[in-house]
Amino acid sequence: MRWRRTGAAGLIAEALALALPSRCPGCGAVVRGDHRFCTTCWGSLDFLGEPCCASCGVPFAIDRGADAQCAACLTNPPRHAGVRAAVAYGPVAKTLALRLKYGGRLAFATTAARLMARHIPADAEVLVPVPLHRWRLWTRGFNQAVLIARALSATSGLDCDPLVLRRPRRTPPLRNMNPRQRAAAVRAAFALDPAWAAAIAGRHVVLIDDVYTSGATADACTRALLKGGAARVTILCWARVVGDAAD
């Protein structure tokens, strides 16, 4: 009897696989398994890593040494302990982010997390997603950063605390703003929930988001976390804008 249930379950799984095959997050082509990209989309992804700026993680064309910093970080040292991203922002990375955020493809949070996991710092202690304002959360129905953070928590074993940061002030969309305007728009937009202060006190926090553009949102969150007692804040995202990539 047990064999029959197993066999029936297998037949159902095969039928579902035929009716609803796994598809590439980038282009929608049929692929061999969930969270996999087709060969073309996979080959077009620009995976990030060393060599890069020791402070902000922006990629370098050549290896400048382990402690080398970019001009921006030398001029204005960041508060955070580094920015890490799975891939550079490009057509395929953008498609995944937009389909997750606006297309309701919630499983893509796990797709992104699987490629982000290797960038989690070895001494990280807690994952904190960038929060949404309550009105945007109610409109969208979910926070994509929370979904990614929970997927990372499931694979890494690190705590995920989505209530640590709040976004009490509603901010306008940042899409068409320059870096200075973005920074002004999110200034004082984030705050630490006092009830959750103990969750980050003296700990290395990894701030999770989907896309890192100018860094204004991440900087504002970092400021709130450090003010609230975090020892260090590293930023980890699915994709980051590099060079002249558009929003």
Side-chain angles (χ1 to χ4, degrees):
M1 191 68 179
R2 183 178 179 182
W3 179 87
R4 288 182 182 177
R5 286 199 298 268
T6 303
L11 289 174
I12 292 173
E14 290 181 7
L16 287 174
L18 290 173
L20 301 170
S22 300
R23 294 188 176 274
C24 171
C27 68
V30 175
V31 291
R32 297 184 62 182
D34 293 340
H35 311 298
R36 295 187 180 185
F37 292 86
C38 70
T39 303
T40 300
C41 288
W42 181 262
S44 70
L45 287 171
D46 184 5
F47 294 95
L48 297 179
E50 297 181 348
C52 61
C53 172
S55 291
C56 74
V58 68
F60 289 153
I62 59 173
D63 191 348
R64 304 181 186 179
D67 299 321
Q69 295 176 285
C70 66
C73 288
L74 288 171
T75 303
N76 186 23
R79 295 181 179 86
H80 57 69
V83 180
R84 303 184 178 201
V87 297
Y89 194 72
V92 174
K94 176 181 179 180
T95 296
L96 184 146
L98 293 180
R99 293 178 76 188
L100 167 60
K101 187 183 296 187
Y102 303 116
R105 302 301 296 270
L106 306 190
F108 287 175
T110 299
T111 306
R114 290 174 66 161
L115 295 177
M116 294 165 61
R118 69 186 181 93
H119 293 284
I120 296 176
D123 60 346
E125 296 174 276
V126 59
L127 307 175
V128 174
V130 171
L132 290 179
H133 186 270
R134 62 181 182 277
W135 287 108
R136 188 164 295 175
L137 181 60
W138 289 344
T139 301
R140 188 176 300 166
F142 63 92
N143 179 352
Q144 70 280 358
V146 171
L147 298 180
I148 294 172
R150 285 176 173 164
L152 285 167
S153 175
T155 59
S156 67
L158 292 173
D159 292 336
C160 172
D161 289 318
L163 300 179
V164 167
L165 280 178
R166 296 183 293 110
R167 196 166 189 159
R169 186 166 69 83
R170 191 176 184 182
T171 57
L174 306 182
R175 183 178 300 276
N176 296 317
M177 296 183 183
N178 62 39
R180 182 172 295 179
Q181 292 170 328
R182 288 171 182 253
V186 298
R187 187 172 294 121
F190 302 93
L192 184 75
D193 189 326
W196 289 83
I200 65 163
R203 306 178 81 187
H204 183 177
V205 175
V206 180
L207 181 70
I208 305 297
D209 206 358
D210 55 346
V211 177
Y212 182 94
T213 307
S214 68
T217 296
D219 287 347
C221 288
T222 297
R223 187 182 298 110
L225 290 167
L226 292 175
K227 183 179 179 181
R232 301 174 64 202
V233 178
T234 296
I235 299 154
L236 175 59
C237 57
W238 155 242
R240 70 173 295 167
V241 173
V242 176
D244 297 326
D247 236 7

